[in-house]
Amino acid sequence: MLFFLCRLKALVSTGGRSVQTACDWLFSHVNDPFLDDPLPREYVLYLRPSGPLQNQLHHFWQQSRVTCGKNKAHNIFPHITLCQFFMCADDKVDVLLETLQATVCQWRGRFPSPLPLELYTSSNFIGLFVEEQIAEVLKQFAADFASEAARKADVFVEPHRKQLHVTLAYHFPTNHLSSLENLAKGIEVKLGCDWLAVLFSRDIRFANHETLRVMYPYVPQNEDELELVPGDCVFMSTMEQNNTTEGWVYGTSQATGLSGLLPENYVSRADECDTWVFHGSHSFFSCSAYSDKGSKERGILDGLLDSHRLDNTSLVDMPSLSLICHPMQVLRISSSHSRLQRRSLFVCRHGERMDVVFGKHWLSLCSDSKGRYVRTNLNMPTSLPLWSGGHRDYDMDAPITVFGSTQAQLVGDALLETNTVIDFVYCSPSLRCVQTAQNILKGLQQEGKLKIRVEPGLFEWTKWVSGNSLPAWIPPTDLAAAHFSVDTTYRPLIPINKLSVSESYETYMTRSYQVTKDILTDCKNIGSNILIVAHASSLEACTRQLQGHSPQNSKDFIQVVRKIPYLAFCSCEERGDTGEWQLVDPPILPITHGPNHTFNWRETLLQE
């Protein structure tokens, strides 16, 4: 009986495309702890356009992304919502699909054609609204479907009671309103259109999770980590991130159902509907339909993924990069000209971390029986500062890798090449930040000449620190003894004892803003350009309020931080004598890199 239920769940979870697809799903979820969970899926009924109008909407989708970037509307393809999400038991799905098909057939010839749509815009929303009288007709169709679903499939469906509309854009920056509105006015709403009733489902457990797309493969180094396969989707709840460290997130794989920690720079944000399952599509104007028995390719032909084709285009289908990328002219900051007129604040994230590359228990991989550090990979440093059998808590304060040092030195080389002058260097007390700052100075050929001021006030949001205490950072005097170019006479603006564990988001943003202002004040009359080396969050926290903007809410802040890679570099410039600051193009090019797996020649090549 249990096997039958699992097999039924596999069929429903794959949209009933084929027995083989369901078997593949079942085998990949063999270790899924919720495989035999009877919790049903959640379904929704949408009205989707097809034909010329759909092409117009697809064009708007493309242009709005290119012109203004992605907004909330891009999470789900263009549609009119006909009902709220509802649950249906796996053994009732076939009956539900038959009910939808029968209801659509009864409405052929009664469906309004053309469907009158009117453009509506506000400060944060743009959409096409169905004329009220016609909307009542569509709501009656939804009511008929709900009534039949309750009678035949014992399913409760609540028809959508709000105004019916196609959302074009929402939750976008105010300065994008004019561009988006002009693009929307170009949509010819009176073009011919075949409207389709389309049924989708989603896993109810992840309804309020963020959807991430795996970009690079990752092989777990520890038992609590998640294996990553490119193309898979990962569900992440912001509520589960409290006990993760910087650089790691906790998520569940759509492909396997397994959960664990994963490096955040191996994934990117995906659209919510990328993980939805397509079950059936029925036209109001013809007898053609794509049902749950059809193939995925037929669903795509219906336009299911039209709005996402740009994101999923294979690199091999793109034109040569040499044809679309032109040489960039690097901005050079002259020490003899611009220094006297305005000063710059540079904020840089640290380099690649040992605990992200080799797992959070990386120390166990490079310790001998006596607890001494032993290098076991070329990307591990040859030695660790002040290592003496584990008397420092490197688990709480991981160093950077060899490649992290190389990344940092490349940034310093680029600053030197562009004649960028750095007068003062401040950094977070985290070892990874001190090492990054040291290597940037090395590339700048300023190692030993410029002293690094270690400022505890630049540490990341303490809510992200695991455990009940802050890391035991290496004191500046010990760093100097280990040949780091630190200023041992510097008195911190915010001492370590003023930092609290699990501080609020508001406290963190206030702290970052205050310490940045104090740094700028202290250096106002004795230097022009200041470099801060800290964390991913610092690029936002140290510059946003400096420009006169209010902090974002914590959820949006986290989304910004997740997009900031190692050695990300931003530049803020003071405008005249007004004290106003503004983000400008950095003087150096960005640095991009990809992951590289551990290679074991015995396992790969020594095969009989």
Side-chain angles (χ1 to χ4, degrees):
M1 180 64 178
L2 181 59
F3 175 75
F4 171 77
L5 294 176
C6 292
R7 185 177 64 178
L8 186 59
K9 174 177 283 191
L11 284 168
V12 172
S13 298
T14 56
R17 283 178 286 171
S18 68
V19 174
Q20 184 60 54
T21 304
C23 287
D24 292 341
W25 184 94
L26 196 57
F27 284 130
S28 67
H29 283 74
V30 66
N31 294 318
D32 185 345
F34 296 97
L35 180 60
D36 56 354
D37 192 325
L39 188 67
R41 294 181 67 83
E42 202 170 33
Y43 293 78
V44 68
L45 180 63
Y46 283 161
L47 196 61
R48 294 213 57 218
S50 180
L53 178 58
Q54 192 275 338
N55 293 334
Q56 289 273 312
L57 293 174
H58 178 48
H59 178 72
F60 171 84
W61 234 245
Q62 289 179 307
Q63 293 301 311
S64 64
R65 283 199 178 194
V66 172
T67 305
C68 303
K70 189 174 179 180
N71 62 71
K72 292 287 186 179
H74 288 115
N75 286 336
I76 304 175
F77 34 72
H79 67 277
I80 296 175
T81 303
L82 293 179
C83 69
Q84 306 298 323
F85 275 94
F86 62 92
M87 290 188 290
C88 178
D90 292 346
D91 60 349
K92 299 289 187 179
V93 173
D94 283 344
V95 178
L96 181 69
L97 292 169
E98 292 171 359
T99 299
L100 175 61
Q101 183 176 14
T103 307
V104 171
C105 287
Q106 293 171 6
W107 270 77
R108 288 200 181 107
R110 300 164 55 192
F111 192 89
S113 180
L115 195 65
L117 299 171
E118 182 178 357
L119 179 63
Y120 170 82
T121 64
S122 69
S123 61
N124 61 359
F125 177 89
I126 299 177
L128 299 174
F129 279 75
V130 181
E131 191 271 323
E132 187 173 352
Q133 187 174 356
I134 301 300
E136 292 303 316
V137 177
L138 300 185
K139 291 179 181 179
Q140 184 57 53
F141 162 77
D144 288 354
F145 169 70
S147 177
E148 288 297 295
R151 186 172 65 88
K152 296 180 179 179
D154 193 25
V155 171
F156 174 72
V157 179
E158 182 180 358
H160 194 66
R161 302 185 185 281
K162 297 181 180 179
Q163 291 179 293
L164 301 186
H165 62 274
V166 177
T167 301
L168 298 178
Y170 77 104
H171 280 201
F172 49 82
T174 306
N175 60 326
H176 289 170
L177 175 61
S178 179
S179 298
L180 290 170
E181 189 174 19
N182 288 334
L183 287 173
K185 288 178 180 179
I187 300 175
E188 300 180 46
V189 295
K190 295 183 180 180
L191 287 175
C193 177
D194 185 2
W195 289 93
L196 310 171
V198 189
L199 193 68
F200 298 98
S201 73
R202 66 183 182 186
D203 192 324
I204 191 174
R205 294 175 298 159
F206 308 113
N208 296 316
H209 287 51
E210 182 180 348
T211 305
L212 308 175
R213 175 78 63 184
V214 176
M215 298 184 295
Y216 309 113
Y218 178 74
V219 178
Q221 306 294 324
N222 301 288
E223 291 183 357
D224 59 352
E225 295 172 7
L226 182 66
E227 181 177 5
L228 300 181
V229 177
D232 185 18
C233 284
V234 174
F235 301 106
M236 184 193 77
S237 170
T238 55
M239 300 298 293
E240 295 174 323
Q241 307 312 312
N242 295 339
N243 296 323
T244 61
T245 57
E246 183 194 20
W248 291 84
V249 295
Y250 188 87
T252 302
S253 164
Q254 182 192 26
T256 64
L258 300 178
S259 302
L261 294 168
L262 58 134
E264 64 177 340
N265 59 326
Y266 281 46
V267 293
S268 63
R269 190 172 182 179
D271 295 323
E272 178 184 344
C273 59
D274 285 355
T275 60
W276 290 6
V277 175
F278 168 71
H279 292 275
S281 175
H282 301 278
S283 168
F284 283 94
F285 302 122
S286 68
C287 293
S288 61
Y290 303 128
S291 70
D292 62 315
K293 304 302 181 184
S295 67
K296 183 180 180 181
E297 289 74 17
R298 294 177 66 185
I300 293 176
L301 183 63
D302 181 47
L304 175 61
L305 298 177
D306 274 348
S307 61
H308 305 291
R309 282 177 179 164
L310 279 180
D311 292 340
N312 297 330
T313 302
S314 170
L315 290 177
V316 299
D317 296 328
M318 295 294 288
S320 169
L321 290 179
S322 63
L323 298 178
I324 61 176
C325 296
H326 302 284
M328 179 177 177
Q329 296 298 318
V330 178
L331 172 66
R332 295 180 178 271
I333 298 181
S334 171
S335 59
S336 62
H337 177 66
S338 58
R339 284 189 63 191
L340 299 177
Q341 297 186 10
R342 57 187 58 171
R343 55 183 180 153
S344 296
L345 170 69
F346 305 118
V347 186
C348 182
R349 187 190 178 189
H350 59 76
E352 181 182 83
R353 298 169 52 158
M354 284 280 285
D355 56 344
V356 172
V357 175
F358 298 104
K360 65 175 185 175
H361 300 300
W362 60 274
L363 277 172
S364 62
L365 301 176
C366 48
S367 301
D368 63 13
S369 58
K370 297 182 179 180
R372 294 172 299 190
Y373 176 78
V374 178
R375 185 190 198 188
T376 58
N377 188 285
L378 289 178
N379 198 25
M380 293 179 175
T382 54
S383 62
L384 294 178
L386 307 181
W387 177 272
S388 61
H391 75 285
R392 286 205 62 256
D393 190 0
Y394 285 101
D395 280 334
M396 293 281 286
D397 192 19
I400 59 177
T401 63
V402 172
F403 187 56
S405 299
T406 304
Q407 290 173 313
Q409 190 169 339
L410 282 173
V411 169
D413 291 339
L415 290 171
L416 179 65
E417 181 183 345
T418 56
N419 300 319
T420 303
V421 175
I422 301 295
D423 298 287
F424 288 92
V425 180
Y426 289 79
C427 84
S428 160
S430 294
L431 178 58
R432 56 188 179 274
C433 297
V434 177
Q435 290 177 311
T436 300
Q438 179 85 1
N439 281 281
I440 290 177
L441 290 179
K442 185 176 181 181
L444 265 170
Q445 298 181 11
Q446 294 293 311
E447 189 178 18
K449 301 176 183 178
L450 271 179
K451 296 292 186 179
I452 302 168
R453 294 180 169 182
V454 179
E455 175 53 60
L458 292 171
F459 184 58
E460 66 179 331
W461 188 7
T462 61
K463 179 182 177 181
W464 289 336
V465 176
S466 59
N468 298 317
S469 62
L470 296 174
W473 296 303
I474 303 176
T477 51
D478 291 345
L479 288 171
H483 307 294
F484 283 95
S485 181
V486 298
D487 185 353
T488 56
T489 64
Y490 174 69
R491 298 185 65 180
L493 297 167
I494 299 180
I496 294 176
N497 60 12
K498 296 296 184 181
L499 298 179
S500 59
V501 180
S502 298
E503 65 186 338
S504 68
Y505 170 66
E506 291 73 19
T507 301
Y508 168 66
M509 293 300 289
T510 300
R511 165 168 64 88
S512 298
Y513 178 43
Q514 186 61 52
V515 75
T516 304
K517 287 199 303 179
D518 290 345
I519 288 172
L520 293 172
T521 299
D522 285 355
C523 301
K524 186 170 185 178
N525 299 320
I526 51 178
S528 295
N529 296 337
I530 301 166
L531 172 64
I532 289 177
V533 180
H535 307 270
S537 55
S538 305
L539 275 74
E540 169 79 0
C542 292
T543 64
R544 185 172 181 84
Q545 291 169 272
L546 194 63
Q547 301 172 77
H549 303 314
S550 299
Q552 304 185 75
N553 61 59
S554 59
K555 183 177 180 180
D556 290 339
F557 169 77
I558 292 171
Q559 294 303 327
V560 170
V561 172
R562 289 188 57 254
K563 298 176 183 177
I564 298 176
Y566 294 127
L567 267 301
F569 193 98
C570 73
S571 177
C572 215
E573 193 173 79
E574 188 176 27
R575 297 297 186 181
D577 298 326
T578 63
E580 296 179 354
W581 289 80
Q582 181 179 344
L583 282 173
V584 296
D585 288 332
I588 62 174
L589 296 171
I591 178 172
T592 305
H593 65 91
N596 193 48
H597 285 302
T598 299
F599 173 66
N600 188 316
W601 66 272
R602 293 181 182 275
E603 296 179 359
T604 306
L605 305 178
L606 200 61
Q607 298 181 5
E608 298 182 1

